[in-house]
Amino acid sequence: MYYDLKCFGSEIRSIRNSLDLTQNDVSKLSGVHVDTLRKIETGKVVPQQETLDLLSSVLKTDLNELLLNYRFHDYYAFEELKNRIESKIDRDEFETLSVELEDLKTLLNSTSHPYFISAINQLVLLIESIILNKKYNKPNESLDKLVDAIKITTPKFSLDKYTSYVYNSMELRILMNIALLMNKLESTEKSLEIMEFCMKSVEPNDNIYPKICYNLSYTYHRLAMNEKALEYSILGIDYCNKHRDYNGLNLLYFRKGIAEYLLGYDSYKDSLKKAISFSEILNQYDLRDLLILNCKKFYNIDIQS
């Protein structure tokens, strides 16, 4: 379900101001961290029911009921399309993303709500960026697309001051892709710096969380920091199991297995076999075959034995 979080946050701010309360006042009275309140008021996060319950007593308004007034009821096509894009990105199916790109542009012509216009335009730029990087090997042009995408919702965004801003889920996905580009454009260390910032900024229930965990695990692997690679793969696996979100679980188990192998842990084969099993469960047979090949090619591991 999608909400007009910007308008919802503005109304909460108006309610707070009408009660002559500062954000710090509300934080102290409710127990909700002031950073969380700031994110809610600026429309950067979908608030949890428990958080709204705590704020409701202070602001003398049923905020869960108020949130329902800002629901969007007619954008299931956007959700379905977004899920298709996420799935292809997870499977590295970049060659056919042009299909979703055209579908997004068609959807853009049929909506008039500013929130979805912004969200669709950001997805369009994200896909164009991925195609530029993966298909045409143009990382600088790809980076420009990503910066433009964030500027749609954070107009003053500047990459050299990226730590100065508060990001929503879509912006964090874009920033994560900027971090990945830094491997080509600058250094693995710079990529890690931005990715760690994404990890600190993401809400623990956001579905971008395990993707950040995977990319952190892989980045630490590139730096031969295998304990950290293992730590983040486990965090991502724990999220997927807790939320029953199994997309990407095969890749997380692969990263876990490789980290365990490099650390000399006997459990590595069990993790790698789970990576293969989940690839089959997710019908990602090409990815399964690639994982098997990479294990043999780079580590001389025969998973199927």
Side-chain angles (χ1 to χ4, degrees), residues 108 111-122 152:
L108 185 61
T111 186
S112 60
H113 197 284
Y115 172 86
F116 276 96
I117 290 174
S118 295
I120 292 169
N121 279 323
Q122 284 183 313
I152 289 175

Side-chain angles (χ1 to χ4, degrees), residues 107-269:
L107 185 60
L108 185 61
N109 293 329
S110 66
T111 186
S112 60
H113 197 284
Y115 172 86
F116 276 96
I117 290 174
S118 295
I120 292 169
N121 279 323
Q122 284 183 313
L123 269 179
V124 166
L125 287 169
L126 175 60
I127 293 175
E128 289 177 344
S129 168
I130 290 171
I131 292 173
L132 280 168
N133 182 41
K134 296 292 185 177
K135 189 174 181 179
Y136 299 107
N137 193 28
K138 295 182 176 180
N140 286 295
E141 292 181 33
S142 176
L143 178 61
D144 290 341
K145 292 279 186 182
L146 295 175
V147 171
D148 287 344
I150 293 183
K151 284 184 175 180
I152 289 175
T153 45
T154 303
K156 295 182 179 180
F157 175 78
S158 169
L159 186 53
D160 59 352
K161 297 179 181 178
Y162 74 90
T163 59
S164 304
Y165 309 98
V166 177
Y167 299 93
N168 62 26
S169 181
M170 176 64 76
E171 290 169 330
L172 280 175
R173 170 173 262 297
I174 297 166
L175 190 63
M176 180 182 74
N177 278 270
I178 289 176
L180 295 174
L181 275 177
M182 287 299 107
N183 279 311
K184 283 187 176 181
L185 294 174
E186 194 164 329
S187 67
T188 303
E189 288 77 11
K190 184 63 177 181
S191 174
L192 178 62
E193 174 194 308
I194 299 175
M195 200 71 73
E196 285 280 14
F197 175 82
C198 291
M199 189 66 180
K200 292 175 183 176
S201 302
V202 70
E203 294 292 318
N205 291 318
D206 194 321
N207 62 10
I208 196 70
Y209 181 92
K211 302 179 192 304
I212 296 173
C213 287
Y214 169 79
N215 284 307
L216 272 171
S217 180
Y218 181 60
T219 303
Y220 275 117
H221 165 76
R222 287 169 58 89
L223 294 169
M225 300 174 68
N226 297 310
E227 289 282 1
K228 296 292 288 185
L230 179 59
E231 174 188 341
Y232 281 107
S233 67
I234 292 173
L235 285 174
I237 290 168
D238 288 346
Y239 173 98
C240 290
N241 288 327
K242 178 181 177 181
H243 295 272
R244 298 183 181 181
D245 179 5
Y246 302 122
N247 287 318
L249 192 54
N250 47 350
L251 293 171
L252 285 162
Y253 269 116
F254 180 75
R255 292 266 55 94
K256 180 174 182 283
I258 296 302
E260 289 170 332
Y261 172 77
L262 294 172
L263 290 166
Y265 296 166
D266 293 336
S267 55
Y268 77 91
K269 267 203 171 181

Side-chain angles (χ1 to χ4, degrees), residues 30-42:
S30 66
V32 174
H33 197 284
V34 68
D35 288 343
T36 300
L37 179 58
R38 188 175 297 115
K39 287 181 180 180
I40 293 172
E41 289 193 357
T42 55

